[in-house]
Amino acid sequence: MIDLGNFFKSAFTVDNVIFGFDEADLKVLLIKRGEEPYQGKWALPGHFVYSDEDLHSAANRVLEELTGLKNVYLEQVKTFGAVDRHPVGRVITVAYYSLIKIADYNLHASSFAKKAKWHSISKVMDLAFDHAEILDACFQLLKRRVRRRPVGFELLPPKFTLTELQHLYEAILETDLDKRNFRKKILSMNLLVDLNEVQEGVAHRPARLYKFDQQKYQKFLAEGYIFDLSESKKKVVKPRSAG
Amino acid sequence: MIDLGNFFKSAFTVDNVIFGFDEADLKVLLIKRGEEPYQGKWALPGHFVYSDEDLHSAANRVLEELTGLKNVYLEQVKTFGAVDRHPVGRVITVAYYSLIKIADYNLHASSFAKKAKWHSISKVMDLAFDHAEILDACFQLLKRRVRRRPVGFELLPPKFTLTELQHLYEAILETDLDKRNFRKKILSMNLLVDLNEVQEGVAHRPARLYKFDQQKYQKFLAEGYIFDLSESKKKVVKPRSAG
DNA sequence: TCAAAAGTGTTCTTATTACACCCATGG
DNA sequence: CCATGGGTGTAATAAGAACACTTTTGA
């Protein structure tokens, strides 16, 4: 039997990739570190997990302290445990991502938040620790999720236009979508409610506003329905027989 | 600034769901615990992670000590960190699953292995710790993976028949597949090599043997090809418009 | 009247499903 | 010659992809 005591010398943290969407751009909330290690670098919001706290609660705590938001979409992604990933000791981190409506984000929820800033996902670079790798893993998972589950709506205001929704998908999937096919498909799912309202004060034909019908989705789910929004399998190179 | 020392009092383990396939049955390798806690219960093979060892290495170590196998398909699934999940202290565990060819499994690779036994996935019950939950998460992931990546072949001997392959998919997906459609689809991917050999000693028309062409798959992958074997979306209840 | 984005259908192509009989072997 | 599983094709349906013009508003 091994001496268990030797093993109880490590720590674990949660790191949270908080996604937001604004003006056709997918964004992530980062914090400028005020202390060593990696002082002055941008980092994912994260924290040690308390001894009486489970992982999901810790991720929620980090999220709430930073944004003031509770009951937000939050999902575990992957755990990173390279031996030397943290200079202070053996620290593994459990990565989560969350999806928030960027307008709900309250900048002054805490002092912690004063160093926070939204960054366009495409322009993020040079993060502290292994956070670039963590961000990448979370972004890849988001890309997969958004096709098979209706999580995109978590990033939009309660009322949105179809074009906004399409731009959201385009930002996440990093591709262009065909307007007519996109609308045909999303409307055929019968998960959007036409609010019979239109945009106001826009310098063009105002778009109709929709909301996502969460209740109806839950009902469909229970009946075995699978959300699937899979346009653009990119250039699927069809394998050909070859010697 | 918080006192970091308080956090460096926990431990982490890896637990490995080792899948095998035999006689149309998906199996998982479990160990009968010889000591407390949970003495006498079946558990997933797992171990504490050493201080100089990353998570993937630890999972590989557990796998090799138990089976004697190296370079096996291994993927991280999820981390479980309920506060009271381990009676000895705060221990979070990182779950992995691996896929092995059951014939390669060497029962006497270590003393550790003497208490190991293959269990049909459908008959597993009453595991130690939160291992039932872990097993379930890994099985769910395997179901998803097997549709979108050619990982099933990791569970089959190098030469296999199309019926064996179909039975593997049926066991993992827990569904029946249409023989002609399955063959049409898998062969149209051009990822199988017809070895021009047949079964011997079977009391029926002998089946042709195939192997998976890993090299060709890597080439196709690089060209943007996406493996997709998605027959049976079950009864997809098509949502209908409703008040 | 111009600019800007909203909104709308059809055709073509490809993928998926459903389905039944003959074949090769060992016993 | 029987039992067992191997092996094969076609027709109907559904889903996906490509594509261009008219409408409504504010400035």
Side-chain angles (χ1 to χ4, degrees):
Chain A
M1 178 82 189
I2 47 178
D3 175 14
L4 289 179
N6 284 331
F7 293 111
F8 285 84
K9 291 176 178 168
S10 6
F12 37 89
T13 59
V14 290
D15 285 307
N16 199 339
V17 175
I18 302 169
F19 289 108
F21 177 71
D22 197 15
E23 293 160 28
D25 214 10
L26 185 67
K27 294 191 157 68
V28 59
L29 194 53
L30 299 176
I31 303 227
K32 194 163 208 164
R33 286 184 63 84
E35 55 198 41
E36 295 296 341
Y38 298 101
Q39 185 167 13
K41 293 254 185 205
W42 292 99
L44 296 172
H47 197 266
F48 286 94
V49 177
Y50 295 125
S51 62
D52 60 348
E53 183 183 50
D54 71 28
L55 301 171
H56 201 86
S57 305
N60 262 314
R61 171 172 55 82
V62 166
L63 183 73
E64 190 185 343
E65 283 179 5
L66 178 57
T67 65
L69 300 176
K70 295 186 199 189
N71 299 121
V72 152
Y73 186 89
L74 181 69
E75 184 179 354
Q76 191 192 114
V77 178
K78 192 178 168 186
T79 297
F80 294 81
V83 173
D84 60 354
R85 64 171 295 283
H86 200 297
V88 171
R90 188 69 198 275
V91 182
I92 68 174
T93 194
V94 185
Y96 283 77
Y97 80 97
S98 45
L99 304 177
I100 74 173
K101 301 181 207 312
I102 215 164
D104 292 350
Y105 167 60
N106 180 353
L107 188 70
H108 302 95
S110 76
S111 61
F112 181 38
K114 290 196 181 109
K115 295 170 173 173
K117 203 184 138 201
W118 289 103
H119 295 244
S120 288
I121 192 92
S122 56
K123 291 176 193 153
V124 172
M125 52 184 64
D126 196 27
L127 299 182
F129 304 100
D130 50 0
H131 288 188
E133 190 189 351
I134 295 174
L135 173 57
D136 185 62
C138 291
F139 186 31
Q140 296 309 319
L141 181 62
L142 176 61
K143 283 187 184 191
R144 276 176 278 142
R145 280 290 179 269
V146 91
R147 288 177 170 228
R148 310 293 292 202
R149 296 192 198 163
V151 296
F153 306 101
E154 305 287 342
L155 291 162
L156 291 176
K159 301 177 181 187
F160 51 84
T161 70
L162 294 182
T163 300
E164 284 166 355
L165 184 60
Q166 183 179 340
H167 287 165
L168 170 65
Y169 274 89
E170 289 176 334
I172 295 175
L173 299 174
E174 296 182 298
T175 185
D176 290 336
L177 299 174
D178 179 274
K179 182 160 68 165
R180 280 179 286 191
N181 292 343
F182 178 82
R183 284 164 182 244
K184 204 187 314 169
K185 186 149 188 181
I186 200 90
L187 290 175
S188 76
M189 291 179 181
N190 285 114
L191 290 170
L192 297 187
V193 179
D194 183 340
L195 294 167
N196 289 311
E197 296 174 52
V198 292
Q199 285 179 312
E200 283 176 23
V202 288
H204 53 77
R205 175 171 175 179
R208 301 179 79 81
L209 294 173
Y210 293 81
K211 70 167 184 162
F212 174 67
D213 191 334
Q214 184 71 49
Q215 259 190 298
K216 208 187 267 184
Y217 174 64
Q218 292 304 330
K219 189 173 132 263
F220 289 162
L221 241 196
E223 291 166 358
Y225 170 73
I226 300 168
F227 182 90
D228 189 340
L229 208 158
S230 303
E231 187 167 2
S232 146
K233 295 185 183 175
K234 289 169 192 172
K235 309 156 202 163
V236 173
V237 179
K238 183 77 180 259
R240 296 174 186 294
S241 74
Chain B
M1 177 86 189
I2 47 178
D3 176 15
L4 289 180
N6 283 332
F7 293 111
F8 285 83
K9 291 175 179 168
S10 11
F12 36 89
T13 58
V14 290
D15 284 308
N16 199 340
V17 176
I18 302 169
F19 289 109
F21 177 72
D22 199 16
E23 295 158 26
D25 214 9
L26 185 66
K27 294 190 156 70
V28 59
L29 193 54
L30 300 175
I31 302 222
K32 194 161 208 165
R33 287 185 62 84
E35 55 200 40
E36 292 298 338
Y38 297 102
Q39 184 167 12
K41 293 252 183 205
W42 292 99
L44 296 171
H47 197 266
F48 286 95
V49 177
Y50 295 124
S51 61
D52 60 349
E53 183 183 51
D54 70 28
L55 301 170
H56 201 86
S57 304
N60 261 314
R61 171 172 56 82
V62 166
L63 184 72
E64 190 185 344
E65 283 178 6
L66 179 56
T67 65
L69 300 176
K70 294 187 201 191
N71 299 121
V72 151
Y73 186 89
L74 181 69
E75 184 179 354
Q76 191 193 112
V77 179
K78 193 179 167 187
T79 297
F80 293 80
V83 173
D84 59 355
R85 63 172 295 283
H86 198 298
V88 171
R90 188 69 198 274
V91 182
I92 68 174
T93 195
V94 185
Y96 283 77
Y97 80 96
S98 44
L99 304 176
I100 74 174
K101 301 180 207 313
I102 217 163
D104 292 351
Y105 167 59
N106 180 352
L107 187 70
H108 303 96
S110 77
S111 63
F112 181 38
K114 290 195 180 108
K115 294 169 173 172
K117 201 183 141 203
W118 289 103
H119 295 244
S120 288
I121 192 89
S122 56
K123 291 177 192 153
V124 172
M125 53 184 65
D126 195 26
L127 299 182
F129 304 100
D130 50 0
H131 288 188
E133 190 188 350
I134 295 174
L135 173 58
D136 186 61
C138 291
F139 186 32
Q140 296 308 320
L141 181 62
L142 176 60
K143 283 188 184 191
R144 275 178 277 142
R145 282 289 179 270
V146 90
R147 288 178 169 225
R148 311 292 291 202
R149 294 191 199 164
V151 296
F153 306 101
E154 305 288 342
L155 291 162
L156 291 176
K159 300 177 181 187
F160 51 84
T161 70
L162 294 182
T163 298
E164 283 165 356
L165 184 61
Q166 182 179 341
H167 287 164
L168 170 65
Y169 274 89
E170 289 175 333
I172 294 175
L173 298 175
E174 297 182 297
T175 183
D176 289 335
L177 300 174
D178 179 274
K179 181 160 68 165
R180 279 180 287 192
N181 292 343
F182 178 80
R183 284 163 183 245
K184 204 187 316 169
K185 187 151 189 180
I186 200 91
L187 289 176
S188 76
M189 292 179 180
N190 285 115
L191 289 170
L192 296 187
V193 180
D194 183 340
L195 294 167
N196 289 310
E197 296 174 52
V198 293
Q199 286 179 311
E200 284 176 22
V202 287
H204 53 77
R205 177 172 173 178
R208 302 180 78 80
L209 295 172
Y210 292 82
K211 68 166 186 166
F212 175 66
D213 191 334
Q214 183 71 48
Q215 259 190 298
K216 209 188 266 184
Y217 174 64
Q218 292 303 329
K219 189 173 133 266
F220 290 162
L221 241 197
E223 291 166 359
Y225 169 73
I226 300 168
F227 182 91
D228 189 342
L229 208 157
S230 304
E231 187 167 2
S232 144
K233 296 184 183 175
K234 290 167 190 172
K235 309 157 201 162
V236 172
V237 179
K238 183 79 178 259
R240 297 173 187 292
S241 74

